[in-house]
Amino acid sequence: MSKMYLFPTVVTEIKEYTREIPQGVEMIQAPAEWESARYGEGVVVAVLDTGCQLDHSDLKDNIIGGRNFTTDYNGNPNRYEDNHYHGTHVAGTVAAILNNKGVVGVAPKASLLILKVLSADGSGDYQWIIDAIEYALQWRGPNGERVRIITMSLGGPEDSPELHKVIVKAVRQQVLVVCAAGNEGDNDPDTPELSYPGAYNEVIQVGAVDLHGRLAEFSNTNNQVDLVAPGVDILSTYPGNKYGVLSGTSMATPHVAGALALIINRCEQEFGRTLTESELYAQLCKRTVPLGYGARAEGNGLLNLAVASRLPVR
């Protein structure tokens, strides 16, 4: 079985210090939903990536656990620190805490389960990812918490039946699986680019736009794209207790994962019950705005959490 890789990501700036709500978080209207969605509190998001800086001041309070599935750190399963940078950045977009310094994530009180499935060089075996998904499905938190969302900003060129099978299993267990579309786009929606697991029908495949709502030239287009989110010049946490500005569909994906944590809390409170994966997907699609690029480029459109706030939950 071939390797799975991080999509090529552009790092444009590293900051020692910042104090702001990232523009991507603002663009999807997350702050307007924080109070009604309890900031994502109680929702566990499994981040399958290169690990995470566990003691980053903007992240440490939201990390509920983790595991290493790679051969890094001599294969020690209890060492899941980020020895790259990608996973720390993704985790921050999902759930960096709201502490009036640094940055803040889309769901600043959501819990992060850090599953290291990619090595320091940004590559990983398909089996590592399969094992991590299985682990996420079986994992239970100290208060009986379960993983509700899996986010994967990674991909490979080959369709793996074993990977597809475990993703189907996750969705059947009512876990939302969010995946990056990939960065091999040629700016032509009529020529499809497929990367797995993003291209599987069962996942929520996320493309990228810039901070002005223009489709990113690198964003993969195909008939399985579900929606787009900010993925160009995205500010988030970075190893060394720093902050980085990165671009890629990898950066768009955690915006959707964090948004789903907010949607879960808001909608389940309003319905008075636990919603299924398909019901939550429908609620996500309600919170999009068409941009005019067509379904193969943007799916349902740009994520905007405020859109459904003006609608009845039904």
Side-chain angles (χ1 to χ4, degrees), residues 86-110:
H86 194 272
T88 299
H89 196 272
V90 166
T93 297
V94 177
I97 63 172
L98 182 63
N99 63 356
N100 295 316
K101 58 184 178 180
V103 295
V104 61
V106 176
K109 290 188 180 178

Side-chain angles (χ1 to χ4, degrees), residues 94-147:
V94 177
I97 63 172
L98 182 63
N99 63 356
N100 295 316
K101 58 184 178 180
V103 295
V104 61
V106 176
K109 290 188 180 178
S111 297
L112 298 165
L113 180 65
I114 304 299
L115 303 182
K116 181 172 170 57
V117 297
L118 298 171
S119 300
D121 66 356
S123 72
D125 291 346
Y126 274 68
Q127 192 60 50
W128 297 348
I129 295 158
I130 292 165
D131 291 346
I133 294 172
E134 288 280 11
Y135 179 86
L137 297 182
Q138 296 169 18
W139 178 88
R140 296 294 179 269
N143 298 308
E145 301 97 333
R146 296 173 180 241
V147 170

Side-chain angles (χ1 to χ4, degrees), residues 243-256:
Y243 304 91
V245 179
L246 277 62
S247 298
T249 55
S250 287
M251 285 60 255
T253 303
H255 283 89
V256 175

Side-chain angles (χ1 to χ4, degrees), residues 23 39 68 83 85 91 97 104 128 142 149 157 196 205 220 224 272 280:
Q23 286 180 268
Y39 299 86
N68 173 29
N83 51 5
Y85 58 79
I97 63 172
V104 61
W128 297 348
I149 302 157
Y196 299 92
Q205 185 184 186
N220 282 11
Q224 296 296 330
L280 290 164

Side-chain angles (χ1 to χ4, degrees), residues 14-25:
I14 306 297
K15 298 183 178 188
E16 297 285 336
Y17 172 84
T18 189
R19 182 179 178 180
E20 61 189 289
I21 298 176
Q23 286 180 268
V25 174

